[in-house]
Amino acid sequence: ESALDAYRNEYYYGKIPGAYSFAFVDLDDNNIPELIVGDGVSSILVYYYDGDKVVYGEAFPAEETKFYKGGYLIWSGGNMGSYYDNVYQYKDNMLSQVFNGGYGIDYDGSGEARYVVDGKMVSELVYYAELGKYTQSGRLNYESYQYIEDAYQAYCSSMNINN
């Protein structure tokens, strides 16, 4: 059974409620797509195929997670003057954090923004240069579908796979 067939068989036959959206994306460029499942509200779930079965990988906040070429997932957010950017790399069916950054307004009277990368104070220029290492390859473009079968068909079509 192929990875695509395993995903389709696992999730197509009513095992996940219809309020979800589905997309197949080859996050780690190994020609085996990961299944991205979004609940439309709060989270994105990443599943992968380990050569034998479909395995749950990780969950991320839906609104704040972006996928980039090279297997990078950037989870950004914050509020009230304090913001963060966390970058993970998806490789060999595992996610590893490769960047932990944050910035915010210094309320000690100066009103200046302070930037931190991996626990160290840096300039704004250094912060965005470091973050840019993970975004320069560009966003992964994919479409989400209400039904997993539609996502499966779209992926097969885009990859010229006969299903």
Side-chain angles (χ1 to χ4, degrees):
E1 178 175 57
S2 73
L4 292 176
D5 289 335
Y7 286 131
R8 182 171 59 177
N9 292 335
E10 183 74 19
Y11 297 103
Y12 179 58
Y13 298 106
K15 294 183 180 179
I16 291 183
Y20 286 74
S21 63
F22 304 92
F24 288 102
V25 182
D26 188 4
L27 294 175
D28 53 0
D29 295 325
N30 67 354
N31 296 319
I32 301 173
E34 285 67 43
L35 173 63
I36 309 299
V37 180
D39 68 6
V41 178
S42 62
S43 65
I44 294 173
L45 308 175
V46 178
Y47 294 84
Y48 66 92
Y49 182 71
D50 74 357
D52 185 39
K53 63 185 177 301
V54 175
V55 179
Y56 167 74
E58 297 284 338
F60 291 91
E63 294 279 325
E64 301 155 344
T65 303
K66 308 287 186 271
F67 297 91
Y68 287 83
K69 294 175 185 172
Y72 297 112
L73 290 78
I74 299 182
W75 173 15
S76 300
N79 62 30
M80 309 264 311
S82 180
Y83 303 92
Y84 60 87
D85 294 296
N86 293 305
V87 181
Y88 298 85
Q89 185 175 29
Y90 187 82
K91 188 174 181 180
D92 299 325
N93 297 329
M94 296 180 62
L95 280 169
S96 302
Q97 189 169 17
V98 294
F99 178 90
N100 178 7
Y103 57 96
I105 303 299
D106 178 15
Y107 291 105
D108 67 358
S110 71
E112 294 181 19
R114 303 230 179 195
Y115 295 83
V116 176
V117 173
D118 296 325
K120 297 177 184 169
M121 295 284 290
V122 297
S123 68
E124 179 180 10
L125 185 64
V126 168
Y127 184 90
Y128 286 109
E130 289 295 314
L131 183 60
K133 291 177 184 178
Y134 308 104
T135 61
Q136 66 188 359
S137 60
R139 294 269 303 268
L140 278 173
N141 294 318
Y142 63 90
E143 289 189 50
S144 296
Y145 295 87
Q146 183 177 4
Y147 300 103
I148 196 168
E149 186 67 15
D150 294 339
Y152 175 78
Q153 294 294 334
Y155 180 80
C156 288
S157 176
S158 71
M159 299 301 290
N160 295 318
I161 298 170
N162 291 327
N163 53 358

